[in-house]
Amino acid sequence: MKTDILIVGSGCAGLYAALNLPSDKQITIITKDIVEHSDSFLAQGGMCMLKSEDDYDSYFEDTMKAGHYENNPKSVEVMIRSSVDVVNDLVKYGADFHREPDGSFSYTKEGAHSHHRIIFHEDVTGKEITSTLLRNVEKLSNVTIYEHVTMVDILCKDNCCYGWEIDIDEGTMDYYRSLGGELGKEITSHIREGEENTMIMREDGYCPFLNEKKLCDICIKMGEEALSEICTEFPRFTMEYEDVREKILSLACEEVGNIMFSTDEKITWQEHEMPDFCGTGDDDETACEDDGALYGNEEAACEDDASDGEAYDDDEEVSVDADQLNAVSKAAVALLQNRKKPVAERAAEYLLYCKRMQQELYGYHTGGEVSGQKQEQEQRESRLIAECREKEVTPQEAYAAFLARMERYEQLEVLDQNWEEEKKRLRAAFHEDNYLECIQNFHTAQQGREYEYEHLLVYFTFRYFMRSYYDDNILNKAQFAVASILMIRDMDALRFLENGGTFSVEDRVAVAKLYSKEVEHSEENMEFLEEDFQFEDIFAPEQMIRQLFFAS
């Protein structure tokens, strides 16, 4: 069976979507029972709508409060603002709602609502709306409904349960140990216990509990609550500090890449208040302990020349709060998203800005001398960028930098055999006579797609920057972001060369996914690179700025 669009579920949302999709697309709706058994069909109450603009603020607050303020505020706004149009559509399709003698809607009040804003049809509003939508969908020749059909999985090109280390968090491990019996023995026998508890993968690289249908036996037998955190959270990362919780999706999931690189719109993130969230204490570093977190170094990573300012004193307490770091993070992202300049220049400014902030926040005493030194630094930064941009690069210099980066990345723990093959292909494809030409040809061909590297830099910044709250290491986060796009640029140029001069969005997603999966999802690899950023010349800010301009 082939279809252009698959809708899972035959409730109001699925049916309404089918009515609003293009008529030239073949649409398939599947439902695990008969259509009349959907939750929408069985709903008794009513449907809320915006009666007037005067009711908006109250309606918004009621909705946010009912969702414990975990709702996406923009989604709530869209729901409220569009409610009148949706009701008008339903009436147009034939839905009948109770009305007053003058023909206006009758409104009632239900749980969580502070005002009368619920329209209804007797005590079977769900049946009235769903059956009305169903009658209209059944008239469409391009829509087919299959009852008693269940979606069991979304088939990706890769699998989250294949080809990498699956860590078992302590809480889940304690639960598995407590099970006892044959099931408990079976689960714990496949876990390598130690400082980190990890699943022992099969010889074919799959999790031992992934059955022949590529479904999880632990989930089937015990429910989702029995899965480890990484299994339930991936591809999400969580970071907490003070009264803030950050969440971001990982590029190791190809669908995240499809979303990120499908548009050139600037990346933004949502912020909303969660009144019931108490956050972490200043001393609680455990909130940062997710897979691949770039944190934990107790010393500042910035070791600058005497001319750059006063060195950081390990014995001296430096207090930098989350608001200060957030302000630096937002300023750094603003530099990266300044599209009046080429992305290489933006990345260079970003790297030097983070170096300067490392010095100002952690490397200087407060005092009048800071502003003067800051001004001098800004002037030196501008001169350095100009020199790196204008100085002619030789094939020998470019290839030597490539080899130096490769030597460091080749030391990483291998999580995916594809990474091992990638390294071999990079070594085989590039040599002193062609490397510089290859990355320059790739750069020229991708002129209209610089936003992809901007997206990557912003992604890495948001993903890691606030780890500085725990390790006092701003520069390290910027070094990781820039080092990552330099390595990804090499991988991109390899695809471009192998494809005969083409590089698709699918190639972009695949490269970003491979890099993220190998590097971000291994704490060992992240710690290795973190140390390299402090001691390896190839990752010094000035060296990386020079490398950024190789392709220009």
Side-chain angles (χ1 to χ4, degrees):
M1 180 180 69
K2 292 184 177 182
T3 187
D4 295 317
I5 299 170
L6 175 65
I7 296 175
V8 181
S10 61
C12 287
L15 296 172
Y16 189 72
L19 288 167
N20 285 276
L21 287 167
S23 59
D24 61 343
K25 301 295 183 182
Q26 290 301 311
I27 301 169
T28 300
I29 300 175
I30 62 172
T31 182
K32 61 186 177 183
D33 205 322
I34 62 173
V35 174
E36 288 79 6
H37 284 180
S38 71
D39 289 342
S40 296
F41 208 98
L42 301 175
Q44 292 180 305
M47 175 180 176
C48 48
M49 69 174 287
L50 182 63
K51 295 196 305 182
S52 69
E53 190 61 31
D54 293 339
D55 188 37
Y56 177 83
D57 290 340
S58 173
Y59 191 171
F60 185 89
E61 175 59 23
D62 288 346
T63 307
M64 294 298 296
K65 185 176 181 180
H68 300 283
Y69 297 92
E70 294 186 7
N71 330 39
N72 183 322
K74 284 199 172 182
S75 297
V76 173
E77 180 182 7
V78 169
M79 181 196 74
I80 295 173
R81 295 293 185 193
S82 63
S83 62
V84 175
D85 290 336
V86 171
V87 169
N88 289 337
D89 282 347
L90 293 175
V91 172
K92 179 186 69 177
Y93 291 135
D96 179 34
F97 298 104
H98 193 277
R99 295 180 181 266
E100 298 296 328
D102 63 0
S104 62
F105 289 124
S106 298
Y107 296 99
T108 186
K109 185 172 77 170
E110 291 187 350
H113 289 276
S114 58
H115 294 82
H116 289 69
R117 61 172 71 98
I118 310 299
I119 61 173
F120 58 94
H121 176 93
E122 299 176 357
D123 198 27
V124 286
T125 308
K127 179 179 179 180
E128 173 64 19
I129 294 174
T130 311
S131 60
T132 298
L133 293 172
L134 181 60
R135 285 196 303 272
N136 285 271
V137 168
E138 288 174 337
K139 298 175 184 177
L140 300 177
S141 59
N142 64 317
V143 179
T144 304
I145 300 176
Y146 290 93
E147 297 181 324
H148 301 292
V149 175
T150 301
M151 187 184 78
V152 295
D153 201 359
I154 297 176
L155 300 179
C156 301
K157 295 177 183 177
D158 202 352
N159 192 296
C160 305
C161 307
Y162 168 80
W164 54 4
E165 187 177 274
I166 300 176
D167 294 328
I168 310 299
D169 57 279
E170 283 299 327
T172 304
M173 191 67 217
D174 289 343
Y175 171 65
Y176 289 160
R177 291 191 187 106
S178 71
L179 288 174
E182 291 302 316
L183 182 59
K185 290 180 181 178
E186 180 185 1
I187 293 176
T188 55
S189 69
H190 288 95
I191 297 175
R192 183 183 296 107
E193 297 191 45
E195 186 176 340
E196 293 181 358
N197 303 307
T198 59
M199 195 68 73
I200 301 172
M201 308 303 275
R202 299 196 307 243
E203 290 185 3
D204 60 4
Y206 283 96
C207 172
F209 294 98
L210 203 67
N211 62 32
E212 66 279 0
K213 296 180 179 179
K214 298 296 186 288
L215 301 177
C216 177
D217 282 334
I218 292 179
C219 189
I220 292 172
K221 295 177 181 178
M222 303 167 62
E224 184 179 340
E225 61 274 9
L227 296 174
S228 65
E229 287 182 6
I230 193 171
C231 295
T232 56
E233 283 294 300
F234 181 83
R236 293 171 290 275
F237 284 121
T238 301
M239 166 69 183
E240 293 182 1
Y241 52 90
E242 293 186 3
D243 59 350
V244 177
R245 174 185 293 157
E246 292 181 348
K247 280 188 175 289
I248 188 171
L249 298 174
S250 168
L251 278 172
C253 172
E254 66 191 52
E255 287 308 311
V256 174
N258 287 332
I259 294 169
M260 182 180 296
F261 300 115
S262 65
T263 177
D264 63 356
E265 293 183 10
K266 294 179 180 180
I267 291 177
T268 60
W269 47 86
Q270 302 287 332
E271 295 182 3
H272 64 273
E273 294 184 6
M274 299 167 56
D276 296 332
F277 177 62
C278 59
T280 67
D282 287 349
D283 297 323
D284 184 5
E285 297 192 15
T286 59
C288 201
E289 294 179 356
D290 55 29
D291 49 323
L294 190 61
Y295 77 98
N297 181 16
E298 296 178 355
E299 299 179 1
C302 187
E303 298 185 355
D304 300 300
D305 296 334
S307 61
D308 284 332
E310 194 172 343
Y312 177 67
D313 183 355
D314 292 342
D315 297 326
E316 181 180 354
E317 280 292 324
V318 179
S319 177
V320 179
D321 63 29
D323 288 340
Q324 289 175 286
L325 289 174
N326 266 311
V328 174
S329 174
K330 289 179 179 179
V333 169
L335 288 174
L336 293 173
Q337 294 183 328
N338 177 15
R339 294 184 177 178
K340 294 179 180 179
K341 299 180 180 181
V343 74
E345 188 165 340
R346 288 182 254 162
E349 290 181 350
Y350 158 81
L351 189 56
L352 291 178
Y353 170 74
C354 289
K355 177 181 178 180
R356 175 159 33 95
M357 289 300 102
Q358 179 74 40
Q359 295 168 332
E360 289 190 14
L361 293 178
Y362 300 104
Y364 286 122
H365 297 293
T366 57
E369 63 176 2
V370 174
S371 60
Q373 291 179 341
K374 175 181 176 182
Q375 184 177 7
E376 292 174 9
Q377 277 192 304
E378 289 175 340
Q379 293 172 351
R380 288 200 299 270
E381 290 168 9
S382 297
R383 288 196 299 268
L384 174 62
I385 292 173
E387 290 170 3
C388 290
R389 182 179 60 243
E390 295 164 9
K391 183 179 178 182
E392 183 178 356
V393 58
T394 65
Q396 293 78 15
E397 179 189 5
Y399 185 63
F402 162 74
L403 291 180
R405 286 195 307 274
M406 281 296 298
E407 287 172 2
R408 304 317 301 161
Y409 274 90
E410 284 173 335
Q411 302 301 313
L412 300 183
E413 173 192 19
V414 176
L415 302 184
D416 188 331
Q417 191 58 34
N418 290 328
W419 178 257
E420 191 69 31
E421 294 301 317
E422 186 82 5
K423 293 186 297 183
K424 292 177 181 178
R425 286 166 41 230
L426 283 164
R427 283 281 193 176
F430 296 136
H431 46 80
E432 188 175 287
D433 294 333
N434 78 340
Y435 172 73
L436 182 59
E437 181 182 8
C438 285
I439 62 170
Q440 288 179 341
N441 288 343
F442 172 74
H443 175 76
T444 301
Q446 301 300 302
Q447 286 294 325
R449 292 171 60 183
E450 275 206 325
Y451 69 87
E452 294 177 358
Y453 287 107
E454 175 193 303
H455 287 353
L456 285 165
L457 286 162
V458 172
Y459 162 80
F460 288 124
T461 300
F462 183 69
R463 169 73 182 92
Y464 294 108
F465 194 91
M466 289 308 295
R467 268 92 186 140
S468 306
Y469 178 79
Y470 292 105
D471 69 8
D472 301 342
N473 203 328
I474 293 172
L475 177 60
N476 183 270
K477 313 304 178 287
Q479 287 173 291
F480 177 72
V482 175
S484 294
I485 67 162
L486 289 171
M487 187 64 188
I488 289 171
R489 184 180 69 183
D490 289 340
M491 297 164 69
D492 293 344
L494 173 65
R495 294 291 197 289
F496 181 76
L497 183 64
E498 292 177 338
N499 294 344
T502 63
F503 187 81
S504 66
V505 175
E506 289 74 17
D507 290 321
R508 156 62 57 240
V509 172
V511 169
K513 174 187 174 183
L514 179 58
Y515 182 88
S516 175
K517 186 173 181 179
E518 177 65 23
V519 178
E520 292 191 277
H521 289 268
S522 167
E523 186 172 347
E524 179 180 324
N525 287 343
M526 296 296 286
E527 290 175 352
F528 178 88
L529 288 174
E530 182 182 42
E531 186 171 344
D532 268 10
F533 296 148
Q534 296 184 65
F535 302 113
E536 293 296 325
D537 289 342
I538 192 63
F539 295 127
E542 293 78 4
Q543 290 290 328
M544 286 202 287
I545 290 170
R546 178 72 176 136
Q547 296 165 56
L548 284 168
F549 288 106
F550 284 173
S552 300

